[in-house]
Amino acid sequence: FWVETSVSLVIVILLSVGYETLENSNLGICIGRKICCSPYYQGDNFWNSFFDFLFNLVGFCIVFSIRINYYK
């Protein structure tokens, strides 16, 4: 499933920011406490969320470079 590169980038950004927001919301923290079996889980700190977002963009760049080299 390929769309225009700019649309793909916007989708990646929106999904990354949306997931990080949900993960650190009250609902996400409650789910994290259940999954991690830790009643003290308080969500990610800013830097963890920032680097999660950054590495999502790095993954996009890797896939984009593979796509460019494959469809020359």
Side-chain angles (χ1 to χ4, degrees):
F1 175 68
W2 289 105
V3 293
E4 292 293 324
T5 304
S6 57
V7 175
S8 296
L9 179 60
V10 170
I11 290 170
V12 167
I13 290 172
L14 290 176
L15 287 175
S16 296
V17 170
Y19 178 78
E20 290 302 323
T21 303
L22 177 65
E23 183 180 25
N24 291 305
S25 69
N26 288 333
L27 175 64
I29 291 171
C30 182
I31 292 170
R33 286 179 180 166
K34 297 288 184 193
I35 291 173
C36 297
C37 299
S38 173
Y40 304 109
Y41 177 73
Q42 296 182 4
D44 290 342
N45 63 33
F46 171 78
W47 291 110
N48 181 278
S49 295
F50 175 76
F51 281 103
D52 285 349
F53 175 76
L54 184 67
F55 281 110
N56 281 323
L57 291 180
V58 168
F60 173 82
C61 292
I62 291 169
V63 171
F64 178 72
S65 66
I66 291 170
R67 179 180 180 207
I68 294 298
N69 290 324
Y70 182 74
Y71 290 110
K72 275 188 183 180

